[in-house]
Amino acid sequence: MSQVSDVSMQLLLNSDNPVDMFPHMQSFQEMMMYYECAMMEVETKLKVLNSEFALVHKRNPFESIKSRLKKPNSIMAKLRKKELDFTIENLESGLTDIAGVRVICSFLEDIYALSDMLSAQDDITVLEVKDYIRTPKRNGYRSLHLIVEVPIFLTNRKKYMKVEVQFRTIAMDFWASLDHKLKYKKDNLKHPEIVAQELKKCADTITAMDYKMQEIRQLLE
């Protein structure tokens, strides 16, 4: 696959609807459609599990589900960080989070139960697991990440695509959302380490609350 020229890429990144501007970007448009289809497949699987779990156990294992496709500028930035050229082959082989699904659960144990149920499906292949709940990032970030491969069925073939699935509690998602909003402000602070320490304390407090809420639920059951 030929590389996209620097001029075309700059126009691509600055456009609200960049793919439609360039006939030679047809392959990129097709690939993003494949990722979107894979994302929908995973989201549908999770919604089915949620419905069945609710029927059997009289409660839902997750509160909400969100999905997103990386934007072209984010894709380009990540390829550059990995020192990879902008090609369709590098998109598929070098990046695993172009398509993302985020599942927000009420309780910690529901995260692992739902993750196990999804992983057990015979058309899902789990390529990688990053457990930032049991081993949080240094800044306090907590979440369970799965990189899965799922088939999508096209008009004349079947294609396997990668999707990143993140599982979080409501509290974890609250912390991560605020940390993301503060990210650029932190970069301009004179003493960013102080803010980082406070955010880490908040993450630890939230984690303690997650475990306490799970204990309370177990008492009620």
Side-chain angles (χ1 to χ4, degrees), residues 8-88:
S8 294
M9 179 51 61
Q10 193 58 46
L11 290 171
L12 171 73
L13 299 183
N14 291 333
S15 172
D16 290 332
N17 193 12
V19 175
D20 293 338
M21 293 177 59
F22 303 101
H24 61 276
M25 290 299 291
Q26 179 68 24
S27 295
F28 177 78
Q29 185 178 30
E30 288 178 358
M31 184 58 59
M32 295 305 288
M33 183 269 291
Y34 298 156
Y35 278 113
E36 185 174 12
C37 291
M39 194 169 62
M40 290 189 292
E41 287 281 350
V42 172
E43 189 170 348
T44 298
K45 286 176 175 293
L46 288 163
K47 288 179 178 178
V48 169
L49 289 172
N50 191 51
S51 297
E52 182 191 13
F53 196 94
L55 181 64
V56 174
H57 300 283
K58 309 305 179 187
R59 66 180 182 84
N60 297 93
F62 66 79
E63 295 292 324
S64 64
I65 186 168
K66 307 171 186 177
S67 57
R68 65 100 185 99
L69 280 177
K70 268 191 180 301
K71 295 181 179 179
N73 57 345
S74 296
I75 293 172
M76 189 64 182
K78 197 149 191 178
L79 286 172
R80 283 175 176 163
K81 186 176 180 180
K82 290 176 173 282
E83 299 183 348
L84 295 172
D85 294 323
F86 188 89
T87 66
I88 298 302

Side-chain angles (χ1 to χ4, degrees), residues 76-140:
M76 189 64 182
K78 197 149 191 178
L79 286 172
R80 283 175 176 163
K81 186 176 180 180
K82 290 176 173 282
E83 299 183 348
L84 295 172
D85 294 323
F86 188 89
T87 66
I88 298 302
E89 289 84 354
N90 285 341
L91 291 186
E92 287 197 88
S93 62
L95 303 183
T96 59
D97 62 346
I98 292 178
V101 176
R102 182 174 300 156
V103 187
I104 312 301
C105 300
S106 296
F107 300 98
L108 282 166
E109 61 186 14
D110 290 339
I111 287 176
Y112 292 102
L114 198 56
S115 169
D116 288 345
M117 287 187 282
L118 179 66
S119 301
Q121 298 196 6
D122 59 12
D123 59 346
I124 287 277
T125 301
V126 179
L127 303 177
E128 187 177 1
V129 178
K130 294 180 180 179
D131 193 339
Y132 297 118
I133 297 175
R134 293 182 174 131
T135 308
K137 290 187 178 182
R138 291 182 63 184
N139 67 346

Side-chain angles (χ1 to χ4, degrees), residues 115-168:
S115 169
D116 288 345
M117 287 187 282
L118 179 66
S119 301
Q121 298 196 6
D122 59 12
D123 59 346
I124 287 277
T125 301
V126 179
L127 303 177
E128 187 177 1
V129 178
K130 294 180 180 179
D131 193 339
Y132 297 118
I133 297 175
R134 293 182 174 131
T135 308
K137 290 187 178 182
R138 291 182 63 184
N139 67 346
Y141 174 84
R142 288 168 169 85
S143 184
L144 176 65
H145 292 196
L146 302 184
I147 304 299
V148 303
E149 196 171 58
V150 61
I152 60 171
F153 297 89
L154 305 168
T155 54
N156 58 356
R157 62 194 173 106
K158 177 171 67 174
K159 183 173 178 61
Y160 287 88
M161 302 298 298
K162 296 172 187 173
V163 179
E164 181 186 62
V165 188
Q166 298 179 356
F167 296 91
R168 300 176 182 173

Side-chain angles (χ1 to χ4, degrees), residues 174-207:
F174 168 74
W175 183 92
S177 296
L178 291 184
D179 181 66
H180 180 74
K181 289 178 181 178
L182 295 171
K183 178 181 178 181
Y184 300 103
K185 292 184 179 180
K186 285 189 296 182
D187 292 341
N188 297 320
L189 292 175
K190 293 183 179 180
H191 303 287
E193 68 279 358
I194 296 176
V195 175
Q197 289 171 5
E198 292 302 312
L199 283 169
K200 176 63 167 58
K201 290 178 184 177
C202 289
D204 293 340
T205 300
I206 283 173
T207 299

